Amino acid sequence: MCGLVGIAGKLEYKDEAMMKRLLVFDYFRGPDSTGLASVRNNGDVKIAKGAVNPLDFFDTKKFVEVNTGHSSIALIGHNRLATKGKINNTNAHPFHYGHIVGAHN
């Protein structure tokens, strides 16, 4: 079963560290991939995801660009346990289609 975590509201720098902790705790719900979506204050959406564990994910440039609590109104994290579909970057969550950002369990 996958795991979902998130923070929303008036986010600050400290929330970036909280999001990392949440993704590490959530790893036990889904070890096959890790992802993060950031909804920015201006409405833009940034996504980073990959078929890696959270600790390796944190070292990627894309994760660092997306995990910006100080300029976001929401951070949505997901750890995937592959029950259907290949374990790859494409099948990692969150997804972004048009104006919709989401992840599912």
Side-chain angles (χ1 to χ4, degrees), residues 19-57:
M19 195 67 214
K20 288 173 82 171
R21 284 193 296 277
L22 289 171
L23 285 168
V24 168
F25 295 148
D26 195 47
Y27 171 71
F28 299 102
R29 298 277 299 172
D32 295 326
S33 61
T34 308
L36 179 67
S38 170
V39 180
R40 301 296 169 94
N41 295 333
N42 64 5
D44 288 347
V45 174
K46 302 292 182 185
I47 291 183
K49 59 184 181 174
V52 296
N53 68 64
L55 298 178
D56 291 337
F57 183 56

Side-chain angles (χ1 to χ4, degrees), residues 3-4 6 8 10 12 21 24-25 32 34 37 55-56 59 63 65 67 75 85-86 91 93 95 100 103:
L4 299 159
K10 187 174 173 19
E12 302 174 6
R21 284 193 296 277
V24 168
F25 295 148
D32 295 326
T34 308
L55 298 178
D56 291 337
D59 289 336
F63 173 79
E65 292 172 358
N67 190 32
L75 297 172
K86 294 181 180 179
N91 288 338
H93 302 195
F95 298 106
I100 298 170

